[in-house]
């Protein structure tokens, strides 16, 4: 009889082991001679079920199983930014260099962080102070004798040129600082000593651990009041997400989930970005590993890796490693939130994560619920999105951090009623519903403006009212036009557009300009890829102004839509040639022109021509 922990049976990546010491659910174990990593998922008498994170080929009954007695943890310290990890925090770049193949990992155990690298630790740091939506940087200095508690910041190190990494007192520790060591240290060397209330002395390093499945604690949840600015018009104007909000982007095959999430990662005004590529195609990830570190951060001109972390799980890895990537990503994101940063997390696609759950549940022979997904699917999805929020962190000084979570789902066949999408929709506040019809017409981002929503829009009203008093009215009017146009289009489908009365055709015309000139945004066009909020408002007011003018022409002057559509203005091409073009077309093209001056010029020209038309019909605009 083997009294030591050992493999009893192997079925795929599910390993049944016997006599594993002190087994608890969630404990990480080393399996077999190769020390494969696994996690205990169930205990049955003296046997345990282990989900192995790696390929179990060749593993035999009788091989040893050793309990590390620790849950799956994230290592949190300076050096995280710019990394590309898998779901177990193995650095993929290093693996790639070592194996020249991101998909071979069996047997390789690499530390998540560089334990030798020295970081300049200083007992000083800056923290954002929020006064309404204004942010001021405040400087602090820590000294021996200061009282600290869990979450208190005791100093910092400049992790990248973009991010000052705050060193925080780990969870469960409070007391008085009795030693502070300014200077260059690696993340395992002590930089401070804290005397606990019972007199024991605790050395603090720049490295701390956190079990990934457990949300990191905070003091208090705050209302969401500031939008995450993304530079994507349809999102910022119509379906905004606030800093600390949760959003979902469901879309069938090839409808633009990845491009949209990449756009958000590149352009959103978060301080730190965590991007989880969860089991998408292998070559997509290999591509990411090669290119991600060099991507330019459009705002700072430096590389994007100075403020981002990538979690990449390729589909060739066992499913369980995919399942953990969501937790790994969100834990790292919370850690930066706790420093007082605005963090944005994107997960592409959470469906792959849910499929991993289904797979594991199936192997454990649990009773399945809808479409084979486990009964706890909703609970898991809810607890993922619930880790978003805007919070007052633990410790001193008082600071606010936020974590915005945006997840894609890939409903098979584009059917949004499938369990993962329909469940996700219950727990998020912003929905960007990707429409395969729009994608087919190459209208991008293919966010359907009738099916999408933002429950946060009301919360952001105060913010917008302060920024630009016209904004809310413009948004409301534009949405109304789009909704009315949808109804009119239904009729037009039967009778034909030309048979409609001109007042209805006028609404269709505005909707068309909104679609082509505002909602459409080309991620690959050098100007259009990012639209700054003042330009968004300027564009929207121009279109809605045009709407007002043409409405009056139709109503008061009986001008036909065909006449209005035919209004031409003269423009000078970049080659210096003057030509006559349709006003509507020019209005739709402002998205590709840098800045906003051009919009004023264009509107003056359009007004002049419309005035002429008005005069002919006895109307004054
Ligand atoms: N904003 C955009 N601007 C221009 N083109 C876009 C945009 N969004 C998507 N596309 C086009 O659509 C294609 C598919 O997009 P993407 O790969 O993001 O889809 P997906 O939903 O992630 O697909 P999959 O289901 O395969 O993961 C892109 O290669 C690109 O040509
Ligand atoms: Mg994709």
């Amino acid at each position: 009889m083997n009294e030591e922990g050992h493999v009893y049976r192997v079925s795929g990546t599910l390993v049944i082991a016997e006599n594993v010491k002190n087994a608890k659910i969630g404990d990480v174990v080393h399996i077999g001679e190769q020390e494969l990593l696994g996690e205990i998922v169930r205990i049955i008498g003296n046997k345990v079920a282990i989900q192995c994170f790696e390929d179990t080929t060749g593993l035999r009954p009788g091989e040893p199983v050793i309990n590390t007695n620790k849950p799956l943890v994230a290592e949190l310290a300076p050096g995280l930014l710019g990394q590309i990890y898998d779901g177990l925090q193995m650095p993929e770049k290093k693996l790639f260099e070592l194996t020249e193949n991101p998909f071979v990992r069996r047997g390789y155990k690499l530390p998540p962080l560089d334990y030798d690298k020295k970081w300049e630790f200083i007992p000083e740091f800056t923290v954002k102070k929020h006064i309404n939506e204004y942010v001021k940087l405040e400087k602090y200095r820590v000294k021996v004798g200061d009282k600290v508690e869990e979450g208190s910041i005791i100093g910092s190190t400049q992790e990248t040129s973009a991010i000052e990494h705050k060193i925080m007192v780990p969870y469960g520790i409070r007391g008085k600082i009795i030693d502070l060591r300014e200077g260059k240290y690696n993340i395992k060397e002590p930089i401070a000593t804290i005397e606990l209330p019972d007199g024991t002395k605790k050395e603090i390093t720049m490295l701390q651990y956190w079990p990934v499945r457990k949300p990191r604690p905070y003091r208090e949840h705050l209302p969401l009041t500031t939008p995450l600015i993304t530079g994507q018009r349809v999102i910022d104007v119509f379906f905004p997400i606030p800093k600390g909000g949760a959003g979902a982007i469901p879309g069938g095959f090839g409808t633009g989930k990845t491009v949209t999430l990449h756009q958000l990662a590149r352009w959103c005004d978060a301080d730190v970005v965590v991007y989880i590529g969860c089991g998408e195609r292998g070559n997509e990830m290999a591509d990411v590993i090669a290119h991600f570190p060099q991507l330019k951060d459009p705002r700072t001109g430096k590389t994007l890796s100075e403020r981002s972390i990538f979690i990449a799980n390729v589909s060739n890895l066992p499913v369980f490693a995919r399942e953990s990537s969501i937790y790994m990503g969100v834990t790292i994101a919370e850690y930066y939130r706790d420093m007082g940063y605005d963090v944005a997390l994107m997960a592409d696609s959470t469906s792959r994560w849910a499929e991993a759950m289904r797979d594991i549940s199936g192997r454990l022979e649990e009773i399945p619920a809808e479409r084979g997904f486990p009964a706890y699917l909703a609970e898991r999805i809810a607890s993922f999105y619930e880790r978003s929020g805007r919070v007052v962190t633990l410790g001193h000084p008082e600071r606010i951090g936020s974590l915005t979570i945006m997840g894609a789902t890939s409903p098979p066949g584009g059917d949004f009623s499938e369990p993962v999408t329909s469940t996700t929709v219950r727990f998020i506040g912003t929905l960007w519903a990707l429409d395969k019809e729009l994608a087919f017409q190459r209208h991008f981002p293919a966010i359907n403006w009738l099916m999408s929503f933002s429950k946060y829009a009301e919360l952001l009203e105060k913010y917008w009212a302060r920024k630009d008093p016209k904004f809310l009215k413009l948004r409301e009017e534009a949405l109304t036009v789009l909704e009315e146009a949808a109804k009119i289009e239904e009729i037009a489908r039967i009778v034909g557009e030309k048979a409609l009365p001109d007042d209805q055709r006028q609404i269709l015309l505005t909707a068309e300009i909104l679609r082509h000139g505002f909602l459409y945004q080309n991620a690959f066009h050098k100007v259009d890829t990012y639209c700054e909020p003042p330009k968004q408002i300027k564009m929207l007011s121009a279109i809605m102004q045009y709407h007002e003018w043409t409405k009056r022409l139709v109503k008061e002057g009986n001008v036909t839509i065909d006449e209005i559509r035919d209004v031409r203005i003269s423009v000078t091409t970049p080659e210096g040639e003057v030509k006559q073009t349709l006003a509507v077309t020019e209005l739709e093209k402002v998205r590709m022109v840098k800045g906003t001056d051009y919009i004023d010029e264009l509107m003056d020209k359009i007004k002049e021509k419309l005035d002429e038309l008005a005069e002919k019909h006895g109307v004054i605009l």
Side-chain angles (χ1 to χ4, degrees), residues 232 251-261 263 280-281 284 348-349 352 408-410 434 439 442-446 520-525:
Q232 312 304 304
F253 179 72
T255 48
K257 300 177 291 292
T258 304
V259 172
T260 309
L261 287 181
Q263 283 293 91
E280 289 299 295
R281 272 164 269 109
E284 200 169 284
D348 181 16
S349 147
R352 302 284 103 83
T409 68
S410 326
L434 295 180
R442 300 205 64 76
H443 172 104
F444 292 116
Y520 177 86
Q521 188 166 359
N522 186 348
F524 305 110
H525 185 278

Side-chain angles (χ1 to χ4, degrees), residues 15-39:
V15 176
I16 307 296
E18 229 175 9
N19 298 337
V20 175
K21 299 274 169 325
N22 304 317
K24 291 187 300 302
I25 301 273
D27 279 353
V28 170
V29 294
H30 292 158
I31 313 161
E33 266 112 47
Q34 294 211 51
E35 300 191 2
L36 304 176
L37 284 176
E39 196 181 71

Side-chain angles (χ1 to χ4, degrees), residues 134-200:
Y134 301 103
V135 171
K136 188 171 124 221
L137 282 180
E138 208 150 312
K139 234 183 148 75
Y140 291 86
R141 204 181 158 81
V142 185
K143 32 181 213 320
V144 168
D146 283 357
K147 289 231 164 65
V148 290
E149 58 188 45
E150 52 202 17
S152 290
I153 304 177
I154 55 170
S156 66
T157 185
Q158 198 66 41
E159 182 173 1
T160 64
S161 66
I163 296 296
E164 182 190 83
H165 193 111
K166 274 65 157 172
I167 308 301
M168 295 175 284
V169 174
Y171 197 66
I173 296 176
R174 59 169 62 218
K176 195 170 76 184
I177 301 180
I178 54 169
D179 190 20
L180 262 176
R181 274 154 263 177
E182 186 167 348
K184 286 197 153 190
Y185 298 98
N186 70 38
I187 58 173
K188 290 194 160 183
E189 286 168 323
I191 42 95
T193 310
I194 292 172
E195 190 181 79
L196 308 187
D198 67 2
T200 48

